Amino acid sequence: MTPPALVASDLDGTLLRTDRTVGARTLAALARLRAHDVPFVMVTGRPIRWLAEVVAQTGPPTSLTVCSNGAVIYDGAADQVVEHRPLAPELLAHVVERLQDRYPDVAFAAETNDGLRHEAHYPINEISPLVRPGELAELIASPAIKLLARLDGAPDAVAEQMSESLRGVAEVTRSSHDCLIEISAAGVTKATGLAWVAQQYGVPPERIVAFGDMPNDLPMFGFVGHSVAMANAEPAVRAAADAVTTSNDDDGIADYLDRLFEPAPID
């Protein structure tokens, strides 16, 4: 296939290995993209504050980053948000009410540009002054980049049920193997975030190659000209992709890009 004009990639389970490092071969592939002036756009469910560990390995960002499943476009070089599409408080209240009616035990957290607010019974693994507990009324009183809902159950089934409950109201997806459901404003997905970025670079969708592994990558796969799933991707993601590469732990992105761009000679 013709080398792409832009490469987009998810982070966890895709660019990053299981130990959250970026392999040496993948770093070399990213360097070749830079040498060919091909933008490499990270498209992630992560908030901005979780990008630092990635940038420490890949180097200062040279392209815009799509964060929070498309709700935020971040210019790392300028350290500023250049586009965002949050959930309004009225919508947050409506979504919470709908989900509480069906799932009385659900626990909520709200991701904002300045941190995470969460209910006391929402399980938290992140220790940071930017992460703080609060009453549900406080969580939904201000716009949120992403609403997070946790409860027990089969992730696929719960995500499908919530999608049906919120159809036409908000976007529902997941990016982890546990029952953490991620909710964005209606029409906000990785696809819409990447589309905004691609327009800034003047790159049409058919000239984009995208890599991913989880359900939140599916809208992006539908938008780009060529989609590539990791070998470790969920079955539905592999089935939707145009191609499948090796796993994230085996530098699958590098394996695929080596077919499209001449590898640099080894000294």
Side-chain angles (χ1 to χ4, degrees), residues 7-228:
V7 174
S9 176
D10 171 54
L11 295 183
D12 298 282
T14 303
L15 180 73
L16 299 178
R17 294 173 166 178
T18 303
D19 63 4
R20 304 199 334 192
T21 62
V22 182
R25 289 179 54 233
T26 298
L27 290 173
L30 300 187
R32 288 198 300 279
L33 291 180
R34 289 193 294 272
H36 285 85
D37 294 323
V38 175
F40 177 73
V41 178
M42 299 179 191
V43 185
T44 179
R46 288 188 178 209
I48 292 172
R49 68 178 184 280
W50 285 6
L51 295 179
E53 68 170 349
V54 182
V55 172
Q57 301 177 68
T58 60
T62 57
S63 303
L64 298 172
T65 301
V66 179
C67 297
S68 300
N69 290 331
V72 173
I73 310 299
Y74 176 63
D75 182 342
D79 188 24
Q80 67 179 27
V81 172
V82 295
E83 176 72 1
H84 69 115
R85 295 183 60 190
L87 296 117
E90 306 80 39
L91 178 56
L92 286 169
H94 182 56
V95 168
V96 165
E97 181 180 7
R98 281 199 181 195
L99 295 184
Q100 282 182 323
D101 285 344
R102 182 161 188 172
Y103 307 100
D105 297 327
V106 66
F108 291 106
E111 191 77 62
T112 67
N113 277 333
D114 61 356
L116 181 80
R117 305 186 306 276
H118 62 91
E119 290 189 279
H121 61 296
Y122 183 93
I124 287 291
N125 298 317
E126 180 183 2
I127 300 175
S128 166
L130 300 177
V131 177
R132 57 196 188 279
E135 296 297 325
L136 182 57
E138 177 191 354
L139 269 60
I140 63 176
S142 302
I145 297 302
K146 186 166 61 172
L147 182 69
L148 305 176
R150 278 192 181 272
L151 71 164
D152 295 330
D156 276 341
V158 172
E160 184 176 346
Q161 291 164 7
M162 284 192 178
S163 292
E164 186 59 36
S165 296
L166 298 176
R167 190 173 304 280
V169 174
E171 299 292 335
V172 175
T173 191
R174 64 182 182 86
S175 61
S176 63
H177 295 291
D178 60 1
C179 204
L180 169 61
I181 308 301
E182 304 170 42
I183 302 166
S184 302
V188 174
T189 67
K190 284 190 174 186
T192 59
L194 179 57
W196 193 93
V197 171
Q199 186 175 37
Q200 310 311 303
Y201 293 126
V203 176
E206 59 268 22
R207 296 293 311 282
I208 302 174
V209 168
F211 296 86
D213 73 310
M214 290 296 288
N216 64 331
D217 295 314
L218 289 173
M220 175 171 69
F221 278 14
F223 168 71
V224 302
H226 194 74
S227 56
V228 184

